[in-house]
């Protein structure tokens, strides 16, 4: 284990012991300056260790930043990795629903018009994942103009893989009304 990580974990352990219920209730427990402030001694590095690093929202933003970055800054292979990460994150319904407050729907739908077929395919795939069994995301994709762009890809794209993902996304985007379809 790296010395920095070990030090951070030791600091977190010390903070936990100092702020545990048993220590708080012990009048003989040592304190710094005679007072107990639970926020004292806890820093962002320790919190990151405790919580495991960046949040899903941060990772979604980072992935989309890589996806929309110019190719001279991030090559296509790394963009594909970012697409894969993004798609895996939005498989989670909560993350898919967070796309709208994070402002990720517009850049996602814009990628449906990318000149690179693999970028269009991945954009359609992510649209499909986000809206599958998710009425809230279906409505957001409709609101940002995703349906006409997907329909255009499904009927007019030269790349068969792009067409298939666009059709999948359109199929997933079919809004379901409550009480319809026996559900």
């Amino acid at each position: 284990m790296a010395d920095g990580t070990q030090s951070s974990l030791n600091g977190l352990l010390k903070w936990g012991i100092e702020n545990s219920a048993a220590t708080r209730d012990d009048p003989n427990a040592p304190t710094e300056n005679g007072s107990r402030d639970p926020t004292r001694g806890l820093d962002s590095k320790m919190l990151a260790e405790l919580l495991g690093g960046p949040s899903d929202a941060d990772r979604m933003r980072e992935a989309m930043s890589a996806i929309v970055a110019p190719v001279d800054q991030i090559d296509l292979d790394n963009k594909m990795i970012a697409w894969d990460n993004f798609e895996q994150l939005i498989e989670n319904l909560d993350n898919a629903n967070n796309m709208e407050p994070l402002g990720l729907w517009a850049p996602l739908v814009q990628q449906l018009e990318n000149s690179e077929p693999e970028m269009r395919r991945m954009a359609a795939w992510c649209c499909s994942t986000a809206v599958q069994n998710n009425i809230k995301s279906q409505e957001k994709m409709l609101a940002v103009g995703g349906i006409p762009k997907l329909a255009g890809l499904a009927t007019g794209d030269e790349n068969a893989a792009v067409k298939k993902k666009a059709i999948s996304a359109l199929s997933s985007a079919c809004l379901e009304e409550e009480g319809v379809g026996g559900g």
Side-chain angles (χ1 to χ4, degrees), residues 19-82:
N19 292 287
S20 69
T23 306
R24 263 183 278 149
D25 297 338
D26 183 358
N28 297 322
T31 62
E32 289 184 32
N33 301 330
S35 67
R36 263 188 228 292
D37 180 2
T39 61
R40 184 181 167 102
L42 189 61
D43 62 21
S44 61
K45 186 175 178 182
M46 282 189 228
L47 284 173
E49 286 288 333
L50 179 64
L51 300 175
S55 68
D56 283 356
D58 292 334
R59 294 185 348 203
M60 289 167 60
R61 278 192 212 106
E62 288 171 10
M64 188 55 72
S65 292
I67 290 164
V68 301
V71 179
D72 64 335
Q73 292 178 9
I74 299 183
D75 64 17
L76 186 59
D77 289 340
N78 285 311
K79 287 179 180 283
M80 291 299 111
I81 292 168

Side-chain angles (χ1 to χ4, degrees), residues 6 11 30 34 50 53 63 68 99 133 136-137 153 162:
Q6 184 67 38
L50 179 64
V68 301
M99 288 174 57
N133 300 318
K136 188 174 178 180
S137 287
L153 292 177
V162 173

Side-chain angles (χ1 to χ4, degrees), residues 151-163:
L153 292 177
T155 59
D157 201 278
E158 298 168 2
N159 185 293
V162 173
K163 284 183 176 185

